[in-house]
Amino acid sequence: GGPGIMDPNWLGDPNTYPFGWIPKPTTTLNVSGTAYLNLETYDTAHNTNTFGVGTFYNGTVNQTGGSINTAWFRVAEAVGATGIYNLSGGTMTAQYRMNVGYAAGRSGSDGVVNGSVGGAYGEVNVSGGLLDLSTAANGLHIGLARANITTGYLDGNSNGIIAVSQGTGKMTVSNGEVRSSNISLGEGAGYTNPLDINSAVMPAKGTMTVTGGSVGTGGQILIGGTATGSAGLGTGTFEVLGGTVVAYRARVGNSGANGTLRVGPAGYLRLDNDLTMYDYDPNISTGGHIISDVTASGAGQIFTTTANLGISSMNDLTMNAINFRPKQGDVYTVIQATTIAHNFMAIKSNIINGLDPNYLDANSVPEAFTGAINGGNYDVTFRGFTGGDVNGDGKVWYDDLDILNANWNKSGIFWSGSDFTGDGIVNQTDLDILNANWGWGVPEPCSMSLLGLSGLALLRRRR
């Protein structure tokens, strides 16, 4: 009972530390079966009761069962320390606050966190069980950390200051469920959000990647922000590559910080109120970024009520093609909304070869995609040439095959010579691409099998 810290790294010495503990090098604690550890229920008089791992030196906690109940849960909270918490069964409940990789940051009387120059390494791996922050007044703080949730349940409904010293934090959700009143990534001190991935008074990076399971918040997802009372900018990345994410709103690149929201066609992101990108200073040097992955199954989408794409010159959209090239004229809806304000300042892509010189961006450089507001949706259209359309005439036909045949196995070749992959050589891979789109743009084309087209190419090459 009473204020105190329990950490497998610490040994008692009341003459040295006021809490009666001193650090001890690397230690491991295993919690299993029906074990029960209670560090007193949180109240205003006893809000420092703590369960800690790696709070001064390195430590690991493996929980496969049982239950732990504490006010504070600290994972790696000292410069250079490493704390690892593995939860595969049982329940961990923190009623006031959870810090991961906090690096000796402490909340001052003015609510501004005083982080250290260095960083701790905190890692949380949840493969089962329950990590419950549903009643935590100050929520979850993740700094220089890596948290991998594979199964189980992470519950963080809370309201509190979220801030950490500089470093990098990462959380991956591949299964299970995450619930929180707000989610903040790459955010400095002074914001009252319960789930923060690497927040800092100096530049910080925070990433949360969802590949499965579900994440839900009745509040906002804040992706990148400038700390109140701090000169540092945060860099936040939120990725929805699979699974389901439902939130009230999302703010990307808040107050001029770098924020990136990435969505894939296998993921589902729904914002019940709004999507807002940085909207204060058009000349800000940082801003909000949205990435939509494009595959053969489609493009990543954001579903929301309203979308404000902001006025910052840095706000942009990137169409990220993954092992896929659209056909010229293909249209993708990236945002489905009721109303959309403003427009992206730029639309970028990793597709850089085979672009139509008739479609130029603001810098007179051929662009792969163009975008437009279409009612309540934001649609992008692929303007590059279709794979196999060597001469850019809007068809994949014999003229293109002749060019490919003439350059067969030659190196130092570009799109105009039938190098569709950009690897500098014309080979079977390029022929396969041409064959896959054979007859595109030709009224009632004759189809050819890959074998037939390969034979024709070789026949023409030998003549």
Side-chain angles (χ1 to χ4, degrees), residues 128-214:
L130 168 64
L131 178 57
D132 188 359
L133 306 176
S134 59
T135 61
N138 273 311
L140 175 62
H141 308 237
I142 301 181
L144 188 57
R146 182 179 53 185
N148 301 307
I149 299 176
T150 55
T151 60
Y153 182 80
L154 175 61
D155 188 353
N157 294 314
S158 55
N159 294 285
I161 296 173
I162 305 303
V164 190
S165 62
Q166 72 181 89
T168 299
K170 180 180 180 181
M171 174 175 284
T172 300
V173 181
S174 59
N175 205 345
E177 182 178 5
V178 176
R179 293 192 301 179
S180 180
S181 59
N182 293 284
I183 298 173
S184 180
L185 304 121
E187 174 58 41
Y191 285 87
T192 54
N193 300 297
L195 181 59
D196 180 75
I197 311 298
N198 186 36
S199 201
V201 294
M202 290 188 287
K205 294 181 181 180
T207 300
M208 185 170 187
T209 300
V210 182
T211 60
S214 63

Side-chain angles (χ1 to χ4, degrees), residues 345-366:
M345 295 299 175
I347 298 180
K348 304 176 181 179
S349 178
N350 60 338
I351 300 176
I352 59 175
N353 62 333
L355 303 183
D356 192 335
N358 294 312
Y359 295 97
L360 306 177
D361 62 17
N363 298 315
S364 298
V365 176

Side-chain angles (χ1 to χ4, degrees), residues 64 92 113 152 156 206 220 226 327 375 398 432:
T64 60
M92 163 61 79
V113 170
Q220 70 176 1
T226 302
K327 294 180 175 63
Y398 287 101
D432 290 343

Side-chain angles (χ1 to χ4, degrees), residues 90-311:
T91 302
M92 163 61 79
T93 303
Q95 299 183 25
Y96 182 71
R97 181 169 177 158
M98 179 177 177
N99 293 338
V100 181
Y102 198 73
R106 291 291 188 274
S107 181
S109 59
D110 59 353
V112 176
V113 170
N114 303 308
S116 63
V117 175
Y121 177 81
E123 179 177 321
V124 177
N125 301 295
V126 180
S127 58
L130 168 64
L131 178 57
D132 188 359
L133 306 176
S134 59
T135 61
N138 273 311
L140 175 62
H141 308 237
I142 301 181
L144 188 57
R146 182 179 53 185
N148 301 307
I149 299 176
T150 55
T151 60
Y153 182 80
L154 175 61
D155 188 353
N157 294 314
S158 55
N159 294 285
I161 296 173
I162 305 303
V164 190
S165 62
Q166 72 181 89
T168 299
K170 180 180 180 181
M171 174 175 284
T172 300
V173 181
S174 59
N175 205 345
E177 182 178 5
V178 176
R179 293 192 301 179
S180 180
S181 59
N182 293 284
I183 298 173
S184 180
L185 304 121
E187 174 58 41
Y191 285 87
T192 54
N193 300 297
L195 181 59
D196 180 75
I197 311 298
N198 186 36
S199 201
V201 294
M202 290 188 287
K205 294 181 181 180
T207 300
M208 185 170 187
T209 300
V210 182
T211 60
S214 63
V215 175
T217 171
Q220 70 176 1
I221 303 173
L222 183 60
I223 308 170
T226 302
T228 301
S230 167
L233 298 178
T235 297
T237 301
F238 191 82
E239 300 177 314
V240 186
L241 307 182
T244 300
V245 176
V246 177
Y248 180 69
R249 64 167 33 139
R251 296 182 178 237
V252 186
N254 189 57
S255 300
N258 270 309
T260 300
L261 173 60
R262 178 185 175 190
V263 290
Y268 176 78
L269 173 60
R270 190 187 80 213
L271 306 173
D272 291 332
N273 190 64
D274 68 284
L275 166 69
T276 300
M277 301 185 72
Y278 186 73
D279 195 32
Y280 299 99
D281 184 352
N283 299 312
I284 197 72
S285 60
T286 55
H289 316 282
I290 290 179
I291 299 175
S292 175
D293 289 345
V294 184
T295 69
S297 60
Q301 295 183 320
I302 301 169
F303 299 87
T304 186
T305 301
T306 61
N308 179 1
L309 304 183
I311 60 175

